[in-house]
Amino acid sequence: MFLIGIAFIPIGVVLYLANAGVGEFDLTYGRPDPHIVTDHTVLKNVNATAHPNRDNVTFDLDDKFQNDKDIYFYYRLENYLQNYRSYRTLCREPYRSAILSDGSNVSIAPCGAIANSMFNDSFELYYYGERVPLTYKGVAWEVDKTVKFKNPTGKLWEELKQKTAKPTNWLKHVTELDLEDPDNNGYQNVDFIVWMRTAALPDFRKLYRILDRNKSATFARGLPPGRYELVIFDNYPVSRFHAKKHFIISSTSWVGGKNSFLGITYMVVGSLCIVLGCIFLVIHLNFGNSLREMGSIKES
Ligand SMILES: *[C@@H]1O[C@H](CO)[C@@H](O)[C@H](O)[C@H]1NC(C)=O
Ligand SMILES: *[C@@H]1O[C@H](CO)[C@@H](O)[C@H](O)[C@H]1NC(C)=O
Ligand SMILES: *[C@@H]1O[C@H](CO)[C@@H](O)[C@H](O)[C@H]1NC(C)=O
Ligand SMILES: *[C@@H]1O[C@H](CO)[C@@H](O)[C@H](O)[C@H]1NC(C)=O
Ligand SMILES: *[C@@H]1O[C@H](CO)[C@@H](O)[C@H](O)[C@H]1NC(C)=O
């Protein structure tokens, strides 16, 4: 008990301190439904006339986002049940087939309610007028791209292009999601893959982008402290079902992202071991003999 306690407490302290240097910025955004009372920060400088879907927010970051480690950008949905059973049921009508203008009945690709409701807000970040370079490289698992979401090739790709319809809520066909990078187009599109890995809990975050530290000297070490302007293309409606949207920026350390749980757990378990060790020691010193005596009584 004492050995475990002595080993765990310093590990806990080190993890806790490493975590204290990790920065996390969480912004609740989206136009709230006027009927919902919310205590979250919401956007103030919205000019709905000029840009119906575009909001600008400014905020300040401290120096915790510049430590030579990767910076991650997430979107988070709160009170959104991506794991709801009927929603997960794949490829049922009306998410399965569509009638084209020429009267033909074609399949929807990709089919199903999850694909149809793909998250489609997008974000641009500026630092004193300089666009912060974000990359989707590394956001999805390589194995997803090469196995589960692999695109059809050759003739099958042409068939996908010509003989399927887009999901009703999408503006683009799946083969046009990214015309600049074939590796990010079709089913292999990073945003699509990330969305299709359904979350089990109603409050979840999904990786959106990673800071591209190779692109510009300004961001080589991370996000410098200062004032940032976030441009949000707010396309995704959530207030109807009382969900909330967040945009999150997180730095990392050698222990990973922001998470004080691990360090605290080590410290608590270590302290418990020491306390229990003391209790057992006291019991042993006070009652150890009498137990031995009881044993010898039995033998005789
Ligand atoms: C919003 O934008 C419109 C069109 O550009 C402009 O006429 C209007 O004055 C703006 N409103 C505010 C509050 O800035
Ligand atoms: C939002 O930011 C963009 C890009 O910096 C700028 O062009 C636009 O004028 C801003 N819009 C508002 C409403 O501030
Ligand atoms: C297309 O055809 C399938 C199978 O024949 C049918 O189940 C489906 O309802 C049709 N789709 C539409 C939109 O009518
Ligand atoms: C975004 O998604 C919503 C809901 O799925 C849809 O109604 C809307 O048309 C989409 N907008 C864009 C720009 O993709
Ligand atoms: C930046 O460059 C390094 C070394 O060339 C590479 O390992 C890393 O993946 C690159 N990062 C990004 C985000 O492209």
Side-chain angles (χ1 to χ4, degrees):
M1 285 289 179
F2 285 123
L3 280 181
I4 292 177
I6 288 166
F8 274 30
I9 290 177
I11 295 178
V13 171
V14 168
L15 288 177
Y16 189 81
L17 289 182
N19 179 67
V22 175
E24 192 164 287
F25 169 80
D26 186 327
L27 170 86
T28 309
Y29 73 92
R31 297 191 184 99
D33 186 317
H35 306 294
I36 301 172
V37 182
T38 165
D39 55 353
H40 287 255
T41 21
V42 287
L43 296 169
K44 292 187 195 75
N45 54 346
V46 173
N47 188 340
T49 331
H51 304 288
N53 284 331
R54 182 158 151 181
D55 299 329
N56 285 15
V57 209
T58 49
F59 56 87
D60 295 315
L61 288 185
D62 57 21
D63 58 2
K64 285 185 177 172
F65 298 86
Q66 196 180 32
N67 62 353
D68 293 318
K69 297 261 180 353
D70 280 335
I71 305 284
Y72 293 95
F73 300 84
Y74 301 86
Y75 60 89
R76 173 178 155 208
L77 294 176
E78 211 184 330
N79 198 21
Y80 188 108
L81 274 173
Q82 213 190 5
N83 204 27
Y84 191 59
R85 194 153 153 269
S86 74
Y87 173 73
R88 279 182 60 98
T89 312
L90 291 169
C91 299
R92 266 217 212 123
E93 296 293 358
Y95 306 112
R96 188 172 165 171
S97 62
I99 304 291
L100 293 188
S101 52
D102 67 358
S104 57
N105 174 340
V106 295
S107 313
I108 291 176
C111 63
I114 304 184
N116 187 46
S117 64
M118 178 168 140
F119 186 79
N120 59 9
D121 284 359
S122 60
F123 310 90
E124 285 171 9
L125 190 60
Y126 294 86
Y127 177 69
Y128 298 107
E130 184 176 356
R131 174 104 177 246
V132 177
L134 306 183
T135 177
Y136 51 78
K137 299 231 158 68
V139 166
W141 300 351
E142 209 45 46
V143 60
D144 273 347
K145 283 196 161 187
T146 50
V147 181
K148 196 167 165 199
F149 293 92
K150 195 168 167 49
N151 280 329
T153 49
K155 207 168 129 253
L156 291 174
W157 175 260
E158 287 307 313
E159 254 175 40
L160 174 66
K161 211 167 176 171
Q162 282 150 21
K163 298 200 178 137
T164 61
K166 65 180 176 56
T168 43
N169 278 356
W170 290 25
L171 297 187
K172 294 179 195 162
H173 192 267
V174 66
T175 55
E176 290 163 1
L177 287 180
D178 187 345
L179 293 175
E180 273 152 37
D181 181 1
D183 198 39
N184 190 39
N185 200 10
Y187 299 125
Q188 275 170 227
N189 180 263
V190 165
D191 295 324
F192 176 66
I193 294 177
V194 167
W195 180 251
M196 294 307 284
R197 286 201 154 270
T198 50
L201 298 174
D203 182 350
F204 57 87
R205 60 167 70 175
K206 284 173 181 281
L207 189 54
Y208 174 68
R209 293 289 182 271
I210 301 172
L211 177 67
D212 190 346
R213 293 189 289 130
N214 297 343
K215 247 229 174 103
S216 146
T218 317
F219 306 106
R221 299 197 51 223
L223 293 175
R227 176 146 297 184
Y228 287 81
E229 182 175 36
L230 180 68
V231 181
I232 300 169
F233 297 87
D234 187 347
N235 302 316
Y236 199 65
V238 289
S239 58
R240 234 181 320 146
F241 41 90
H242 298 212
K244 285 200 195 84
K245 302 189 284 191
H246 299 247
F247 179 75
I248 295 175
I249 305 176
S250 181
S251 63
T252 46
S253 68
W254 57 271
V255 272
K258 184 109 189 141
N259 182 0
S260 49
F261 179 77
L262 195 62
I264 291 178
T265 308
Y266 266 97
M267 286 193 275
V268 167
V269 171
S271 312
L272 272 180
C273 283
I274 298 235
V275 169
L276 282 177
C278 290
I279 293 176
F280 289 151
L281 187 65
V282 168
I283 292 178
H284 177 73
L285 290 181
N286 286 347
F287 305 107
N289 279 346
S290 69
L291 281 178
R292 196 180 300 143
E293 281 158 18
M294 273 166 66
S296 60
I297 289 169
K298 247 191 203 159
E299 271 167 31
S300 62

